[in-house]
C-alpha cells in the first residue's frame, strides 16, 4: 500500500433527539459523502456515558439516533452503521492513546473547560479523556476524512497530534514490521501507521445557533425546546418555533456587514442557505429590506419541505426497534472485522503479546 485508502468516519452521541444543527452540521454531509467514499457512521454510546444517562434513556436514544441516520438517507447496507460499545477495540485503542496524549494537550480542550466550568475537581476522568476515545474511534479504522461541525475542530486537531506522535514514536518499529506508509512529518519522511485525518467542515452550516440566543450553539441538551428544531418536529412545531425565534425588530438586513452584526438574523439566514444549498449572500440578495415576517414564512416553508420526509420516516422507524437492532448488529459485526485487523498490527507495533 502506498497511500491510505480513503475512508470516512463520523459519530454522534446518543444524548437526546437529533436537532437541526446535527443534521446540517454533520448528517446531511454524511449522506452526500456516501456517493464517493466508503463510510462508517457510529453512535458513540460510550461517549454518552460521560453525561451519566439513565440506562433506559441511553438505550432509547441510541435507537433514536440510528433511526435518524436511516431516515436522513444513510444506507446501512452499502456503508456501516453501528454502536461504539459493541466494537471493544475502540476502548482498547483509547487506552493506548491515553499513554500517547499529554496532559497538557488535554488541558487545552475548550469543550472540557466549558462543560466543567469551575467544578473541575468533580469532573469524571472519562470526560477528561473523552477526546482520546474520539481519536481511537477514527484511527482504529485508519479513517482519512471526518465530517463534523465546527465545535469538533479542536478534537480533530488533537486526533491529528496523537496520530503524528504515535507514528513518530514507533516509526522504526512500523517500518521493520513492513506495515507502514511513508508520510511527511515536517521536513522528514517517516514510516507511519495512522493517517493524519482531514476534518470536513462545511462553511455554511458549521455552527447552527440557538433560535433563542444567536450566540449559543443549537444543542439537544438545551433545556428550552424552543431553542431548536428537532428532526421529528411536526410542521406545526416548526412554524411555531420559527415564528417565536428571536430577531430584531425592523426589516431584514441590507448588507452582509449588517447581517454579521445581528447574530440571530445571521443564524436564520445561514439555516436557509444550508437547506437550499446556496450561500448567505444569495439569501441576503433575495430578502434584503423585506419584512422579517416574510423571510420567516419562507424559512418555515423550506424547513417543512426539506425535513418532512426525514421526520415522517423517523417517526415510522422509531416504532420498529427490532429493525434498528438488526442494523446495529450487522454493522457492529462488519466494523469489528476492520477494527480487529488494524488492532492486531497496533498490538504488534507497541509490543503487546497476542496469539
Ligand atoms: P455531537 O453528538 O455533539 O454532535 C454530532 C455532530 O453534530 C455536529 N453539531 C453541530 N453542527 C453545527 N451546528 C450545531 N449547532 C451542531 N451541534 C452539533 C457536531 O459537530 C458533530 O459533528 N464528539 C462528538 C461525537 C464523536 C465523533 C467521534 C465525531 C465521537 N467520536 C469521531 C466524529 C468522529 C460529539 O459529541 O458530537
Amino acid at each position: 500500500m502506498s497511500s491510505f485508502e480513503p475512508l470516512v468516519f463520523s459519530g454522534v452521541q446518543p444524548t437526546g433527539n437529533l436537532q437541526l444543527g446535527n443534521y446540517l452540521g454533520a448528517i446531511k454531509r454524511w449522506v452526500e459523502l456516501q456517493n464517493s467514499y466508503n463510510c462508517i457512521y457510529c453512535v458513540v454510546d460510550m461517549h454518552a456515558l460521560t453525561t451519566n444517562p439513565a440506562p433506559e434513556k441511553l438505550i432509547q436514544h441510541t435507537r433514536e439516533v440510528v433511526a435518524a441516520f436511516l431516515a436522513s438517507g444513510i444506507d446501512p447496507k452499502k456503508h456501516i452503521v453501528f454502536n461504539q460499545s459493541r466494537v471493544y477495540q475502540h476502548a482498547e485503542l483509547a487506552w493506548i492513546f491515553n499513554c500517547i496524549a499529554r496532559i497538557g494537550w488535554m488541558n487545552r480542550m475548550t469543550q472540557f473547560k466549558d462543560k466543567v466550568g469551575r467544578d473541575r475537581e468533580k469532573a469524571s476522568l472519562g470526560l477528561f479523556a473523552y477526546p482520546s476515545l474520539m481519536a481511537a474511534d477514527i484511527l482504529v479504522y485508519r479513517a482519512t476524512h471526518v465530517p463534523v461541525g465546527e465545535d469538533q475542530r479542536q478534537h480533530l486537531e488533537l486526533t491529528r497530534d496523537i496520530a503524528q506522535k504515535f507514528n513518530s514514536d514507533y516509526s522504526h518499529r512500523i517500518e521493520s514490521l513492513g506495515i507502514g506508509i511513508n508520510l511527511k512529518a515536517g521536513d522528514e519522511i517517516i514510516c507511519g501507521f495512522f493517517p493524519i485525518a482531514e476534518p470536513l467542515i462545511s462553511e455554511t452550516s458549521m455552527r447552527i445557533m440557538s433560535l433563542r440566543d444567536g450566540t449559543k450553539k443549537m444543542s439537544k441538551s438545551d433545556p428550552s425546546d424552543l431553542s431548536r428544531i428537532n428532526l421529528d418536529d411536526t410542521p406545526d412545531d416548526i412554524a411555531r418555533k420559527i415564528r417565536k425565534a428571536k430577531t430584531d425588530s425592523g426589516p431584514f438586513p441590507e448588507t452582509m456587514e449588517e447581517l454579521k452584526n445581528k447574530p440571530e438574523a445571521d443564524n436564520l439566514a445561514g439555516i436557509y442557505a444550508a437547506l437550499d444549498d446556496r450561500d448567505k449572500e444569495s439569501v441576503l440578495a433575495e430578502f434584503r429590506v423585506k419584512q422579517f415576517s416574510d423571510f420567516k414564512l419562507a424559512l418555515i416553508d423550506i424547513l417543512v419541505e426539506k425535513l418532512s420526509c426525514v421526520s415522517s420516516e423517523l417517526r415510522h422507524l422509531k416504532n420498529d426497534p427490532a429493525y434498528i437492532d438488526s442494523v446495529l448488529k450487522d454493522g457492529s459485526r462488519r466494523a469489528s472485522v476492520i477494527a480487529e485487523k488494524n488492532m492486531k498490527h497496533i498490538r504488534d507495533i507497541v509490543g503487546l503479546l497476542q496469539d
Side-chain angles (χ1 to χ4, degrees):
M1 208 204 291
S2 59
S3 64
F4 293 98
E5 284 286 328
L7 177 67
V8 166
F9 180 94
S10 198
V12 172
Q13 287 197 71
T15 44
N17 254 326
L18 289 199
Q19 38 80 14
L20 189 66
N22 299 127
Y23 180 72
L24 292 178
I27 296 169
K28 184 168 176 280
R29 192 77 186 284
W30 297 9
V31 173
E32 293 157 6
L33 288 165
Q34 295 184 112
N35 298 325
S36 24
Y37 289 90
N38 287 324
C39 305
I40 304 182
Y41 295 132
C42 181
V43 187
V44 291
D45 48 4
M46 291 197 298
H47 275 115
L49 286 179
T50 60
T51 65
N52 299 114
E56 300 75 14
K57 281 278 168 213
L58 181 55
I59 292 171
Q60 178 196 334
H61 288 150
T62 300
R63 290 190 178 125
E64 281 174 7
V65 167
V66 179
F69 288 1
L70 305 183
S72 305
I74 305 287
D75 180 343
K77 291 215 162 66
K78 276 209 193 119
H79 302 275
I80 295 181
V81 172
F82 75 107
N83 59 314
Q84 182 189 38
S85 59
R86 276 227 178 88
V87 182
Y88 63 81
Q89 288 84 352
H90 291 233
E92 185 182 359
L93 185 57
W95 178 257
I96 293 174
F97 286 169
N98 285 347
C99 302
I100 297 280
R102 307 288 93 183
I103 297 239
W105 301 357
M106 309 305 271
N107 275 337
R108 283 196 283 278
M109 294 295 113
T110 52
Q111 271 206 358
F112 176 74
K113 289 195 261 191
D114 292 347
K115 278 194 182 142
V116 300
R118 293 212 188 127
D119 257 348
R120 195 187 151 91
E121 292 297 308
K122 293 200 185 125
S124 71
L125 191 53
L127 191 63
F128 189 62
Y130 179 114
S132 169
L133 177 59
M134 185 163 158
D137 297 337
I138 298 164
L139 295 175
V140 81
Y141 302 99
R142 301 169 99 193
T144 53
H145 295 82
V146 187
V148 284
E150 172 67 27
D151 61 338
Q152 299 301 317
R153 189 188 289 279
Q154 196 188 30
H155 289 159
L156 290 186
E157 275 160 15
L158 184 93
T159 301
R160 293 161 65 91
D161 289 343
I162 290 177
Q164 235 140 17
K165 181 159 163 51
F166 183 98
N167 285 343
S168 81
D169 287 358
Y170 291 103
S171 67
H172 294 304
R173 175 91 178 147
I174 297 167
E175 194 168 7
S176 67
L177 290 166
I179 52 177
I181 285 183
N182 285 336
L183 295 170
K184 248 184 118 168
D187 294 338
E188 273 182 287
I189 300 283
I190 63 161
C191 188
F193 184 74
F194 291 122
I196 310 302
E198 285 290 331
L200 300 176
I201 300 176
S202 129
E203 272 293 308
T204 34
S205 51
M206 59 191 192
R207 189 173 276 271
I208 304 294
M209 309 310 270
S210 156
L211 300 178
R212 307 299 294 164
D213 175 353
T215 62
K216 245 173 71 185
K217 190 178 80 167
M218 185 180 283
S219 157
K220 37 185 152 45
S221 53
D222 192 303
S224 164
D225 195 50
L226 281 178
S227 71
R228 64 180 159 263
I229 304 286
N230 301 305
L231 285 195
D232 60 355
D233 278 348
T234 62
D236 284 349
D237 295 330
I238 292 176
R240 186 170 46 87
K241 289 177 180 181
I242 295 299
R243 266 192 237 109
K244 292 206 165 147
K246 192 175 158 203
T247 45
D248 313 273
S249 50
F252 199 82
E254 206 177 340
T255 61
M256 282 304 283
E257 212 39 50
E258 204 188 318
L259 186 63
K260 274 202 194 98
N261 291 327
K262 299 192 167 178
E264 283 82 16
D266 189 47
N267 184 40
L268 295 182
I271 292 175
Y272 194 105
L275 286 166
D276 209 22
D277 291 315
R278 53 202 259 203
D279 55 26
K280 269 192 229 169
E281 278 85 353
S282 89
V283 175
L284 183 79
E286 188 176 338
F287 292 98
R288 105 173 3 122
V289 298
K290 286 197 179 146
Q291 284 306 311
F292 230 107
S293 49
D294 292 339
F295 169 70
K296 280 188 168 181
L297 282 178
L299 181 59
I300 292 169
D301 280 350
I302 193 162
L303 272 164
V304 169
E305 180 201 326
K306 300 280 175 178
L307 293 187
S308 62
C309 291
V310 177
S311 54
S312 62
E313 183 62 12
L314 179 54
R315 280 191 288 271
H316 165 74
L317 285 166
K318 274 187 181 175
N319 290 325
D320 196 351
Y323 171 65
I324 299 291
D325 289 355
S326 72
V327 165
L328 288 176
K329 193 170 172 191
D330 175 60
S332 303
R333 189 186 47 74
R334 286 155 58 216
S336 293
V337 173
I338 308 171
E340 179 54 19
K341 181 169 160 266
N342 290 331
M343 254 339 280
K344 277 209 161 75
H345 288 316
I346 297 164
R347 292 183 204 112
D348 277 346
I349 293 169
V350 300
L352 297 171
L353 278 177
Q354 59 187 328
D355 295 341

